[in-house]
Amino acid sequence: MRPRLREEPHDPPPHPAACPPLLGLPGLAAQAQTAEGYPSRAVSVLLGYPPGGVTDTTTRAVAERMSRELGQTVVVENRAGAATAVANTAVAQARPDGYTLLMGTSTLAINPALQPNLTPKEPMRELVPIGMVFRTAFVLHVHPSLPVRSTAELIAWAKANPGKLNFGSSGTGAVNHLSQAMFVERAGIEVVHVPYRGGAPALLDLRAGRIQAMFAAVLEALPAMQDGATRGLAISSAERLPLLPDLPPVAEALPGFNTVFWQGLFAPPGTPAPVLARLGAALHATTEDPELRARLAPHGVVLETGDAAALARTLAEETAMWGKLIRDAGIKPD
């Protein structure tokens, strides 16, 4: 029983003399001209989240550093709405000149299965990856009234008390909710999922004991653990987090468990290759900056230097992983 969550012949080639130089083709000539002086004005990075929070904070810090690399201002535009689809779609349909980019996140891998009517319906075809920006894990923490001090003890308690563990999240389909759903599936336990509209109200109820557990962003969980309002049990990533070295990975109790929230930079399809290369180099230098890494570390953010291929691979792997989980667990949007 699956654990339950409530709620032919070819013509000869033409003679070389009959072939005009490639740059004589209008499209390629335009691309070369576009890339030659790029960027000549400000670059906009759209973000599908409101101001505040780790996603916005990181995007603005990265944009500021990329401005120095590009020699032009990189402006962050918050376009929240429809599970980030407003920003995602705007960039997918934008002019492919390198001046409108997307700070995409894990939602690009989640939306196709969770909300297939949202656009872009095929992010891997409708957006062009530039490079990875960061990954951040979630903290599995519980209310102190729960008599557990490790992931194994939490699983044992849940098995002894089926359906009595109230597990909060920042909303159905959010990465921390899907982390919980994967946890439930792999542990073979039954819990009550309590979705909230954001992580802050969920954390308030966890502090008050109205829910007993949740996976939370490091930046949200850390103050609650420091003042004793919650007890940290584990980290959701496969590796320990430098900021919380004493928290073991969930994978020590559930081998193979590894969930994170990630961000990556994307461009509209058709963006000239030289422009993509210029942006990729600027992003690479930004994510390798020791000063920026140190600045973001207290937020639980680990900048990740990865090229377009790495970002494309991450998107493909997580689209398959989250899609299977969403279908198997029967998760539907609120």
Side-chain angles (χ1 to χ4, degrees), residues 136-142 151 154 167-169 175-177 179-180 183 203 206 212-226 230-237 240-241 243-250 257 259-261 299-300:
T136 186
F138 298 97
V139 174
L140 172 59
H141 60 151
V142 300
T151 302
L154 177 62
F167 226 118
S169 80
V175 186
N176 67 337
H177 167 224
S179 297
Q180 171 239 300
F183 182 83
L203 186 55
L206 181 61
Q212 287 78 50
M214 71 177 290
F215 281 93
V218 174
L219 197 59
E220 295 176 340
L222 192 54
M225 292 189 298
Q226 289 174 334
T230 68
R231 178 186 299 133
L233 301 183
I235 200 81
S236 69
S237 57
R240 293 186 183 233
L241 191 68
L243 185 62
L244 298 167
D246 295 332
L247 281 187
V250 172
F257 190 97
T259 67
V260 297
F261 178 87
H299 298 275

Side-chain angles (χ1 to χ4, degrees), residues 102-127:
L102 173 70
M103 188 63 80
T105 69
S106 299
T107 59
L108 288 170
I110 295 169
N111 286 347
L114 184 70
Q115 303 187 73
N117 291 328
L118 294 179
T119 56
K121 296 183 177 182
E122 298 182 78
M124 286 184 291
R125 294 169 56 90
E126 298 177 65
L127 290 166

Side-chain angles (χ1 to χ4, degrees), residues 152-164:
E153 289 182 3
L154 177 62
I155 294 171
W157 190 92
K159 286 183 175 180
N161 300 273
K164 293 184 179 181

Side-chain angles (χ1 to χ4, degrees), residues 15-90:
H15 190 276
C19 298
L22 286 178
L23 287 179
L25 296 176
L28 292 178
Q31 284 196 9
Q33 185 177 9
T34 299
E36 186 177 352
Y38 176 86
S40 60
R41 54 186 171 85
V43 176
S44 294
V45 175
L46 275 57
L47 176 65
Y49 294 84
V54 66
T55 307
D56 182 70
T57 298
T58 304
T59 299
R60 293 183 182 279
V62 168
E64 179 186 359
R65 182 62 179 81
M66 281 189 70
S67 296
R68 290 166 29 205
E69 291 295 323
L70 294 172
Q72 292 288 346
T73 302
V74 179
V75 181
V76 177
E77 297 183 19
N78 299 91
R79 298 274 190 93
T84 72
V86 171
N88 301 342
T89 302

